[in-house]
Amino acid sequence: MEQNVVLLSFADESKAYQALSELKGAVASGKVQLQNAAVVQRAMDGTFSVKDGATDGGAASGPLTGTLVGSLIGMLAGPLGVLLGGVYGALVGSAVSADKLQDRASVLDQMMRAMPPGSTTLIATVGEDSTQAVNGISDQLGGVVLRRPLAVVQEEVAAQEEAAIAAAQEARRVLREKKSAEWHGKLEDWKDDVGESLTKLKTSIQNAFSSKKS
């Protein structure tokens, strides 16, 4: 049984909910195995919101934190998604042909393209003996289906997470160096700011000490 990540995108929000229901039915009949699923809406301004979900075929929508689906949504909804959307838009407006763009796109690029603004998408990690069940749901409801191997998606998500951690560490390092340079400059300014007062204090102490001795 192949392990895949599937996206079923629809113009009508209700069709995405129906697709989730149909997917649960396919799980119950043994046609598909389900790990995690979520219905995600992408507004016209490009922002994402999670509308519904399921875990292991259950009716309840369990938390997506720590799951691949949760990581995907977090990446697509976060700064990376904004970046991918902007890059894709720039490429479309250039002389890059559609086939070349498809060749260059990463898995996350391709997922972003399959979830255009205004769409509602069912994202799921599934086990499939064939593509018939999931593709049949998409065809029946008039959706667009995108399927990528689970291992490939996991690898790219892990790489993106590592890149994000590395970027955050570098940002902290640069900030520390910047702060250190700023403080160093202030220390130079501060070293003599009590100079005259300190001289007077030392003189007063010396005079007081001399008076006690005499």
Side-chain angles (χ1 to χ4, degrees):
M1 181 170 284
E2 294 185 358
Q3 301 298 314
N4 296 314
V5 176
V6 294
L7 276 69
L8 283 69
S9 296
F10 304 91
D12 185 345
E13 180 180 350
S14 65
K15 295 293 181 67
Y17 295 113
Q18 188 175 347
L20 177 58
S21 178
E22 295 285 345
L23 181 60
K24 291 176 182 177
V27 171
S29 64
K31 296 178 182 178
V32 179
Q33 290 180 351
L34 175 66
Q35 295 176 354
N36 298 103
V39 173
V40 181
Q41 188 175 63
R42 190 177 185 194
M44 291 305 295
D45 63 2
T47 57
F48 289 85
S49 57
V50 178
K51 296 297 184 179
D52 198 357
T55 301
D56 297 327
S61 56
L64 295 172
T65 303
T67 69
L68 180 64
V69 170
S71 295
L72 275 174
I73 295 171
M75 287 182 178
L76 295 173
L80 178 63
V82 174
L83 177 63
L84 291 177
V87 169
Y88 177 66
L91 288 174
V92 169
S94 69
V96 179
S97 62
D99 59 336
K100 293 298 182 182
L101 181 62
Q102 180 68 20
D103 291 341
R104 295 181 184 184
S106 69
V107 171
L108 291 177
D109 287 317
Q110 293 165 7
M111 289 181 173
M112 180 67 74
R113 293 180 60 219
M115 304 170 67
S119 66
T120 305
T121 301
L122 170 63
I123 305 176
T125 52
V126 298
E128 304 174 291
D129 285 323
S130 76
T131 62
Q132 184 175 357
V134 173
N135 285 12
I137 294 172
S138 178
D139 292 343
Q140 173 191 344
L141 299 175
V144 172
V145 61
L146 180 142
R147 175 183 285 99
R148 294 294 180 265
L150 176 64
V152 174
V153 179
Q154 287 175 325
E155 183 177 327
E156 184 158 330
V157 167
Q160 294 290 354
E161 288 176 341
E162 289 176 7
I165 291 171
Q169 290 174 338
E170 177 64 11
R172 285 194 292 269
R173 184 191 66 79
V174 171
L175 182 60
R176 282 196 302 269
E177 290 184 354
K178 180 180 179 182
K179 287 295 183 183
S180 178
E182 289 178 354
W183 285 121
H184 180 74
K186 290 185 180 298
L187 286 171
E188 289 296 313
D189 294 337
W190 291 342
K191 67 180 182 180
D192 292 323
D193 68 343
V194 293
E196 184 176 350
S197 298
L198 185 57
T199 299
K200 291 180 178 179
L201 176 60
K202 288 179 178 179
T203 300
S204 298
I205 293 171
Q206 187 175 5
N207 291 338
F209 184 73
S210 298
S211 297
K212 287 181 180 179
K213 287 182 65 177
S214 60

